[in-house]
Amino acid sequence: MRDTRIDFLRFVGLIMIIFAHVNPPALLFQLRNFDVPLMVLISGVSFRLSVKNEPYIKYLWSRIQRLVFPVWIFLTLYFVLQFIISGPFESEYLTTIVRTYLLIDGIGYVWIIRVFVLVAIIAPLIYSIHKRISSNFIFGLVLLFLYSIYEFVVYSMRASELGVLGVILKSFIFYTISYGLVFALGIRLPDFNKRDVVICLFIITLVFFTLFVINWNHNSGWLPTQEFKYPPTSYYLSFALMMAFVLYLASERIMALCQQVRLESLILFIGSNSIWIYLWHILYLQVFKSLDGFVNVDIVTGKQIK
């Protein structure tokens, strides 16, 4: 039986990602700044509920077909349309095109797909570790230990200039580890009872508000979690996971309400087609970004683009 909560949470994550690109006020931009971790967490839950005993190569090929091929198809249509409208590309723009296809940056927006691909590569390894550790408590300690090492390395290297190695670490390795751990938490989530989820929420909330107070005192005011998103560290992730767990706890009741007001079909459709909806919203934003008065938010930097 399909777990409609997953579609609901995917729906929320997608809407929050799109909402970030239409220049919401600062407070609303902060409140929705849990989207990508929520999507990764739910991907872990979904993977756990649908995992198959199949060879790794076959599994990876299916992930590439589902994640990468739709993006390449969309980008091809996007660049062809751009060529038809604007004419031949300048030589410098060809680098942008290549970097976009490689999911590095380019036109922007594609870094999220890179996160999902990186997590998909290590998902079977995470799942095998999950199966070997029966205790939720021990599993949680392992995740916390690995995350502590990750955070220490990230902060130790913040001021370092490592050239190509630095790019690989900051664009690939750090994202794989951080979001891989979020994915691992999602894989374990179906084993949690309500009390376990509430305890996790309490701990994560305590971590967030502790970091909030520390950052407030250090900066003499509120510091957005967006500042700690690339790569993600504890201030950003604790807020994101706090919001994700609140939604997870409330998802069943919210879906029951949506069913009563006949919104369930819409939510299930969007939740089931999230990647295509996300891709086509890029074209929509690019068109409107060219209009006077429209202000967009760069998904990479979080800054406004006029």
Side-chain angles (χ1 to χ4, degrees):
M1 183 177 179
R2 189 180 186 90
D3 190 340
T4 58
R5 294 179 303 170
I6 294 176
D7 290 301
F8 165 72
L9 293 169
R10 222 182 253 130
F11 164 82
V12 172
L14 178 63
I15 296 303
M16 293 300 100
I17 291 172
I18 295 174
F19 185 55
H21 302 157
V22 295
N23 189 31
L27 178 59
L28 293 181
F29 187 85
Q30 172 59 54
L31 289 176
R32 46 98 350 233
N33 203 16
F34 59 88
D35 42 20
V36 178
L38 172 63
M39 296 287 273
V40 174
L41 183 75
I42 295 308
S43 292
V45 176
S46 180
F47 180 88
R48 164 71 184 281
L49 298 177
S50 61
V51 64
K52 301 176 182 178
N53 185 18
E54 58 183 347
Y56 178 74
I57 297 300
K58 182 180 179 181
Y59 154 78
L60 189 59
W61 178 243
S62 68
R63 293 292 93 188
I64 291 174
Q65 287 179 304
R66 185 173 179 179
L67 292 171
V68 179
F69 284 3
V71 177
W72 284 351
I73 292 171
F74 169 80
L75 290 176
T76 300
L77 294 173
Y78 173 85
F79 288 123
V80 167
L81 181 61
Q82 192 176 50
F83 180 84
I84 293 172
I85 295 174
S86 305
F89 300 127
E90 297 180 2
S91 57
E92 294 83 359
Y93 193 67
L94 296 178
T95 301
T96 298
I97 294 175
V98 171
R99 292 178 68 88
T100 306
Y101 274 99
L102 293 176
L103 308 180
I104 298 175
D105 43 36
I107 64 170
Y109 308 105
V110 294
W111 77 273
I112 293 178
I113 308 300
R114 183 176 81 243
V115 167
F116 285 115
V117 172
L118 292 173
V119 171
I121 291 172
I122 64 170
L125 173 62
I126 295 173
Y127 183 69
S128 67
I129 295 173
H130 150 75
K131 289 196 298 182
R132 293 180 182 182
I133 303 176
S134 58
S135 167
N136 290 338
F137 179 73
I138 298 299
F139 189 79
L141 287 181
V142 170
L143 296 187
L144 182 61
F145 174 72
L146 293 174
Y147 182 81
S148 299
I149 296 174
Y150 158 80
E151 181 111 351
F152 174 78
V153 173
V154 169
Y155 277 96
S156 298
M157 296 184 58
R158 276 193 178 274
S160 303
E161 294 293 337
L162 299 175
V164 175
L165 177 59
V167 172
I168 294 173
L169 281 171
K170 295 176 182 179
S171 298
F172 294 95
I173 304 301
F174 287 165
Y175 283 87
T176 303
I177 295 172
S178 56
Y179 284 112
L181 292 173
V182 173
F183 184 84
L185 184 58
I187 283 180
R188 198 69 171 202
L189 201 51
D191 288 341
F192 289 0
N193 56 36
K194 186 174 181 180
R195 178 176 174 272
D196 294 331
V197 176
V198 170
I199 290 173
C200 285
L201 175 59
F202 174 78
I203 295 172
I204 292 167
T205 302
L206 183 62
V207 170
F208 168 68
F209 279 103
T210 300
L211 294 173
F212 177 84
V213 171
I214 292 173
N215 284 311
W216 180 287
N217 291 333
H218 186 264
N219 294 277
S220 301
W222 168 56
L223 186 64
T225 59
Q226 181 78 12
E227 300 292 327
F228 297 83
K229 188 175 181 179
Y230 307 104
T233 48
S234 53
Y235 185 46
Y236 167 75
L237 285 176
S238 59
F239 173 78
L241 290 176
M242 177 182 71
M243 298 295 288
F245 271 79
V246 168
L247 284 168
Y248 182 80
L249 284 169
S251 58
E252 191 170 352
R253 291 186 178 181
I254 295 175
M255 277 304 295
L257 178 62
C258 290
Q259 190 173 18
Q260 292 179 4
V261 296
R262 299 184 178 180
L263 287 176
E264 184 182 30
S265 297
L266 176 63
I267 290 173
L268 294 180
F269 173 79
I270 294 176
S272 301
N273 297 277
S274 55
I275 187 167
W276 280 110
I277 294 173
Y278 176 78
L279 291 172
W280 285 109
H281 107 281
I282 296 173
L283 181 60
Y284 178 85
L285 288 176
Q286 292 295 325
V287 171
F288 277 81
K289 199 167 67 175
S290 64
L291 299 178
D292 291 338
F294 180 84
V295 181
N296 186 29
V297 175
D298 191 318
I299 193 170
V300 176
T301 64
K303 297 179 180 179
Q304 293 181 348
I305 305 174
K306 295 186 178 180

